[in-house]
């Protein structure tokens, strides 16, 4: 795939140093590390190797990737690896896509308390689905789900929400049979919305009482529990957005969809239009437009663009992909095997990747000139330059 004309890395390399100086003391160490990783990604700063064709002698340089989970260039390979690993988890049933969104007011709290509130968002959305699904009046089954956190809107604004993929059914309470939901229908979103609202508000109050929330700016007056409780009161009456999309066409469509969502970052390189010292332009989708073309171009001051990109950097060690219920990691394999047995279906087999059978130091990709095998002829370390002669063409390691 050809390199995009403009990348996030280009913007950070050109304008990141000045932005860091202007915002010294207001940028977290985690954000600084992410900026540094993206700026160095696929450059000689990280080292790499020189590959040579055994047939025609063609050489090219491949610089190492930073492999940071916030780097737009590194998520494609990561998504493919994740998709291969999850292939064995697919069930031969209908799948549903649910979205749980934090109201704007609660999102303000999350902005300054990312780890605590994002974790609460994960737990309450999963508990909501499992509680409603277990109700004998609804489905009466133990279900499983994979949840992915996104914190952005199309315009790079702070918009925390959970994308959840749920198989259409679950195990009975005694585990003896599979209970399928109605075709094309999982559970009522209004029922999910009401329970989600109650659980999350209760969770926020618990976080406040235990001293896990901090408040700044316009919210500084919420440090007292009475003021915080009164501030939350209107949220108990407003409608919270829980959205259920139509079911997928089949398990394969689920896997393809999930691999795109799980490793998405706030903005991809292909959405960038232009950038200079004053302005960054990028494509975005205006969901307020009910009909017609939603695609628009937004122009932000370069410093504001960098700020918006960085507010979506997750806390160190925070898992943005989580599995619950039947798909929880501890018992996932046993549960999937049991469900497949109850459904009379063979458990999916994972096809080994081609790299498993590759001779050491031989690359999977053939020579771009003659199609012959490419072998690594030199490895160079961080900050070093390759000694082998190679044309300026570069690609990822």
């Amino acid at each position: 795939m050809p390199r995009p004309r403009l990348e996030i890395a280009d913007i950070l390399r050109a304008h990141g140093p000045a932005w860091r100086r202007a915002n010294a003391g207001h940028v977290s160490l985690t954000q600084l590390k992410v900026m540094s990783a993206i700026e160095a990604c696929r450059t000689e700063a990280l080292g790499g190797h020189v590959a040579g064709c055994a047939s025609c002698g063609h050489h090219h340089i491949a610089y190492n990737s930073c492999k940071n989970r916030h780097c737009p260039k590194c998520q494609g390979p990561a998504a493919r690896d994740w998709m291969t690993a999850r292939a064995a988890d697919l069930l031969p049933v209908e799948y549903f896509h649910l979205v749980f969104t934090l109201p704007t007011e609660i999102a303000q709290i999350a902005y300054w308390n990312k780890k605590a509130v994002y974790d609460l968002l994960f737990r309450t959305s999963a508990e909501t689905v499992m509680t409603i699904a277990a109700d004998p009046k609804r489905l009466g089954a133990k279900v499983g789900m994979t949840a992915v956190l996104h914190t952005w809107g199309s315009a790079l604004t702070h918009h925390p929400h959970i994308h959840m993929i749920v198989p259409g059914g679950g195990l009975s309470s005694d585990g003896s049979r599979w209970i399928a939901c109605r075709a094309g229908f999982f559970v009522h979103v209004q029922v999910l919305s009401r329970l989600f609202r109650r659980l999350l508000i209760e969770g926020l109050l618990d976080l406040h009482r235990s001293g896990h929330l901090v408040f700044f700016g316009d919210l500084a007056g919420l440090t007292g529990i009475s003021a915080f409780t009164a501030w939350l009161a209107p949220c108990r009456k407003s409608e919270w957005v829980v959205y259920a999309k139509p079911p997928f066409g089949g398990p394969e469509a689920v896997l393809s969809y999930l691999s795109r969502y799980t490793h998405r970052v706030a903005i991809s390189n292909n959405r960038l239009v232009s950038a200079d010292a004053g302005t960054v332009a990028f494509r975005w989708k205006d969901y307020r437009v009910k009909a017609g073309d939603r695609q628009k171009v937004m122009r932000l001051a370069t410093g504001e663009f960098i700020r918006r990109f960085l507010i979506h950097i997750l806390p160190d060690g925070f898992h943005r992909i989580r599995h619950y219920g039947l798909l929880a990691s501890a018992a996932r394999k046993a549960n999937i095997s049991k469900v497949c047995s109850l459904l009379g279906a063979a458990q999916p087999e994972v096809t080994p990747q081609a790299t498993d059978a590759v001779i050491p130091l031989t690359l999977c990709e053939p020579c771009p000139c003659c199609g012959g095998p490419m072998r690594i002829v030199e490895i160079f370390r961080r900050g070093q330059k390759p000694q082998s002669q190679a044309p300026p063409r570069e690609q990822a390691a």
Side-chain angles (χ1 to χ4, degrees), residues 5-179:
R5 182 177 57 85
L6 179 64
E7 297 181 347
I8 298 294
D10 299 326
I11 298 172
L12 295 183
R13 290 187 197 115
H15 310 294
W19 187 88
R20 285 190 287 268
R21 288 192 297 271
N23 293 274
H26 301 282
V27 189
S28 71
L29 180 60
T30 300
Q31 291 172 327
L32 291 173
K33 287 180 178 179
V34 171
M35 291 182 74
S36 177
I38 294 175
E39 290 169 16
C41 188
R42 299 184 190 178
T43 70
E44 62 185 33
L46 296 183
H49 65 262
V50 180
C53 177
S55 300
C56 71
H58 170 79
H59 281 56
H60 70 254
I61 300 171
Y63 292 121
N64 290 334
S65 302
C66 69
K67 294 181 171 57
N68 190 283
R69 60 177 172 170
H70 300 97
C71 176
K73 284 186 291 193
C74 292
Q75 297 314 296
R80 289 193 295 271
D81 292 344
W82 188 89
M83 183 170 66
T84 300
R86 294 281 76 77
D89 296 344
L90 284 177
L91 297 172
V93 300
E94 199 170 41
Y95 277 78
F96 295 86
H97 178 194
L98 306 177
V99 182
F100 292 82
T101 303
L102 283 183
T104 303
E105 297 81 5
I106 308 298
Q108 295 179 67
I109 305 295
Y111 186 88
W112 298 109
N113 301 274
K114 290 184 170 64
K115 189 175 189 303
V117 179
Y118 291 169
D119 183 67
L120 178 64
L121 175 58
F122 264 116
R123 288 188 285 108
T124 53
S125 58
E127 184 180 350
T128 296
V129 174
M130 290 190 291
T131 300
I132 298 300
D135 186 348
K137 296 179 181 179
R138 308 293 175 182
L139 185 61
K142 180 180 180 181
V143 298
M145 64 214 69
T146 294
V148 184
L149 172 69
H150 284 185
T151 64
W152 56 85
S154 184
L156 287 182
T157 51
H158 187 235
H159 178 61
H161 55 285
I162 292 286
H163 290 271
M164 187 178 291
I165 307 300
V166 188
L171 287 176
S172 59
S173 56
D174 60 0
S176 63
R177 59 194 178 92
W178 174 261
I179 302 175

Side-chain angles (χ1 to χ4, degrees), residues 198-230:
R198 178 171 65 81
L199 291 176
L200 200 131
I201 289 176
E202 289 175 355
L204 284 173
L205 290 170
D206 289 341
L207 287 174
H208 192 291
R209 294 188 189 98
S210 59
H212 287 95
L213 297 180
V214 294
F215 303 94
F216 300 95
D218 296 339
L219 303 179
L222 302 182
T223 53
I225 187 62
S226 298
F228 186 61
T229 302

